[in-house]
Amino acid sequence: QVQLQQWGAGLLKPSETLSLTCAVYGGSFSGYYWSWIRQPPGKGLEWVGEINHSGSTNYNPSLKSRVTISIHTSKNQFSLRLNSVTDADTAVYYCARRLASRPWDYWGQGTLVTVSS
Amino acid sequence: QSVLTQPPSVSGAPGQRVTISCTGSSSNIGAGYDVHWYQQLPGTAPKLLIYANTNRPSGVPDRFSGSRSGTSASLAITGLQAEDEADYYCQSYDSTLLRVFGGGTKLTVL
């Protein structure tokens, strides 16, 4: 059974860097795209970006200048860094898995990240 | 403002049929890219409901069905049950914005 378990700091001040990590248990790490998706409180879903097992990345154009997604294949983990956060970055952040040309089939439990001065 | 447009809310009585629309444009659904649907229960991560327009993952009841035509897609739920009360999101690929979602539709079972 595939499980995605995520963690990271939940409270940040404006201008700080958001950092989250997602660990994958129970399945292959290669052959998939590993994604981050966020959801502001009471609002809809927004794709942040993704990385494959080879390290190739795709980012949401609206966030591209501030986002870095990296992969750590030896640990079956991948990470998200979002620089210069503002209130607008307050959201539940989910990690998720998808195959090429397929939707996300497994999701992490979500991490609420609050940006507040 | 989401790239894919969904009605904010729909409702129906138990046993009834409801549909949720998802309207895009020539750069996403109209370009032939697949539409997927997710169900999100309160406080939980989204769950894949329909993939590639019409396909149900294992374990999803056949009460749920999807379709796509032109620049739009639809999710239909028949035999509505109280447990179907949730938020539903469509998702596709856009040639400029890459992976995009609809704004979400809240389904209320009366």
Side-chain angles (χ1 to χ4, degrees), chain A residues 72-86:
Chain A
H72 323 287
T73 52
S74 62
K75 297 181 181 180
N76 277 19
Q77 295 177 2
F78 61 106
S79 299
L80 168 69
R81 287 177 62 86
L82 179 65
N83 300 327
S84 306
V85 297
T86 69

Side-chain angles (χ1 to χ4, degrees), chain A:
Chain A
Q1 177 72 356
V2 176
Q3 289 188 358
L4 278 65
Q5 188 169 350
Q6 55 183 105
W7 64 89
L11 181 60
L12 297 173
K13 290 182 168 53
S15 81
E16 291 186 335
T17 297
L18 179 156
S19 181
L20 298 173
T21 299
C22 183
V24 181
Y25 301 100
S28 173
F29 201 60
S30 62
Y32 292 94
Y33 282 84
W34 303 97
S35 307
W36 292 96
I37 296 153
R38 70 180 185 178
Q39 185 172 34
K43 297 188 178 181
L45 300 164
E46 180 183 35
W47 174 70
V48 174
E50 64 188 10
I51 190 168
N52 68 7
H53 66 282
S54 300
S56 176
T57 55
N58 295 302
Y59 298 130
N60 185 321
S62 69
L63 299 170
K64 188 173 184 177
S65 63
R66 299 193 291 129
V67 174
T68 302
I69 296 176
S70 55
I71 197 164
H72 323 287
T73 52
S74 62
K75 297 181 181 180
N76 277 19
Q77 295 177 2
F78 61 106
S79 299
L80 168 69
R81 287 177 62 86
L82 179 65
N83 300 327
S84 306
V85 297
T86 69
D87 293 354
D89 296 311
T90 293
V92 174
Y93 286 76
Y94 294 100
C95 58
R97 179 193 90 162
R98 72 173 188 90
L99 273 169
S101 301
R102 288 294 191 116
W104 299 286
D105 56 356
Y106 285 95
W107 296 64
Q109 78 276 20
T111 300
L112 175 60
V113 177
T114 302
V115 180
S116 174
S117 55

